Amino acid sequence: MLEKMKKVVLLGPQASGKSTQAKVITDFLNIPLIAASQALRKVVAKDSSLGRKIKEKMDQGLLVPDNQMITLILGELGRDHCRNGFLLDGFPRNLNQGQALESSCGVEKVFNIEISDQEAMRRILGRRMCKNGHVFHLEYKPSEKGDVCDICAEELYQRDDDKEEVVKKRLAIYRDETSKLLDYYKKKDKLVVFDGQKDMADVSEDILNYLKSHVG
Ligand SMILES: [Zn+2]
């Protein structure tokens, strides 16, 4: 059965290839991508009461409280460029945010790109970069010059954010926050799971096939 699908949430842990797949989805459905990270940067750069409150939390390294995230994102979705739909990335992050979204405009589908923690770790821990931002991977895209950059010969290093303990902690938080959210959407029959362990191009194909056979 073909359905209307213009309001979609994209979920998946770090390194699940979400940004690549977001482009596939927004291109096919012709909807804008609303990324929580970008909305945060935008609001913090502006002088508004919400922006000041959020900046205060971020400057202290604290999580932005649910009510502020909800105000920010629902505000964004109410704007003109979202009137024909949107793809949400990075929101909702937990059940509370998901319920707030459902009781406002709601969504038709939630796409979850699932990869194991083990696979996420493999993808993240192998990352190396140089100070000019050229990115390599020990396994998938090694530099031909070993521990210096192929392109600019600068030394390659691992970002602090990509170190094992940090990544483990971040994944654990993600699982903890999203497990109830996934159950919630599953019960509402909105959850569509894609196998993110495959090659990125194959995941894109799975998503496109789903969209082609479901969207009217
Ligand atoms: Zn380089």
Side-chain angles (χ1 to χ4, degrees):
M1 195 184 78
L2 296 181
E3 34 195 322
K4 179 177 162 283
M5 201 187 301
K6 283 292 187 186
K7 295 183 285 184
V8 182
V9 167
L10 184 59
L11 294 174
Q14 204 198 354
S16 59
K18 260 194 316 172
S19 48
T20 301
Q21 309 310 349
K23 177 111 182 57
V24 170
I25 299 165
T26 52
D27 283 354
F28 186 89
L29 294 175
N30 194 24
I31 50 176
L33 173 68
I34 304 301
S37 55
Q38 202 186 345
L40 280 170
R41 275 197 300 273
K42 219 170 67 182
V43 76
V44 162
K46 273 192 314 205
D47 187 38
S48 67
S49 125
L50 181 64
R52 277 191 299 272
K53 277 186 212 153
I54 290 178
K55 187 173 187 305
E56 205 181 290
K57 296 287 175 200
M58 290 172 79
D59 284 349
Q60 295 171 55
L62 298 173
L63 277 178
V64 179
D66 269 356
N67 62 344
Q68 291 172 13
M69 273 317 290
I70 291 166
T71 306
L72 173 67
I73 301 296
L74 295 187
E76 199 65 26
L77 300 183
R79 286 161 46 127
D80 211 34
H81 69 292
C82 290
R83 72 178 183 281
N84 292 321
F86 51 80
L87 177 69
L88 266 174
D89 177 16
F91 181 96
R93 278 296 298 258
N94 57 39
L95 182 60
N96 188 24
Q97 295 180 0
Q99 285 169 334
L101 178 63
E102 282 300 295
S103 57
S104 63
C105 61
V107 295
E108 284 115 23
K109 286 288 170 197
V110 176
F111 289 180
N112 185 32
I113 302 175
E114 191 46 71
I115 62 171
S116 65
D117 282 359
Q118 206 181 6
E119 178 63 15
M121 297 285 281
R122 206 156 65 99
R123 292 180 185 182
I124 300 165
L125 298 185
R127 270 187 211 153
R128 295 292 181 273
M129 61 189 294
C130 76
K131 69 174 185 188
N132 293 319
H134 303 125
V135 181
F136 298 87
H137 193 282
L138 296 179
E139 210 173 320
Y140 312 117
K141 195 192 165 204
S143 166
E144 279 169 27
K145 293 182 184 141
D147 50 7
V148 297
C149 175
D150 269 350
I151 301 155
C152 66
E154 289 290 345
E155 201 183 330
L156 295 180
Y157 64 92
Q158 186 176 36
R159 287 188 334 161
D160 284 341
D161 250 17
D162 288 349
K163 295 203 167 138
E164 191 166 351
E165 282 319 302
V166 183
V167 176
K168 263 190 187 158
K169 201 171 154 191
R170 205 162 48 218
L171 281 169
I173 292 171
Y174 175 82
R175 298 291 181 198
D176 184 49
E177 281 180 330
T178 48
S179 63
K180 288 197 188 82
L181 185 63
L182 291 172
D183 285 345
Y184 174 71
Y185 283 130
K186 198 174 171 185
K187 281 191 193 119
K188 290 189 173 296
D189 204 21
K190 293 187 174 183
L191 187 65
V192 186
V193 181
F194 294 97
D195 177 6
Q197 306 272 123
K198 299 181 185 177
D199 277 355
M200 207 82 97
D202 292 334
V203 183
S204 298
E205 210 182 300
D206 289 349
I207 292 176
L208 274 177
N209 285 337
Y210 178 89
L211 290 170
K212 282 174 191 161
S213 59
H214 286 80
V215 179

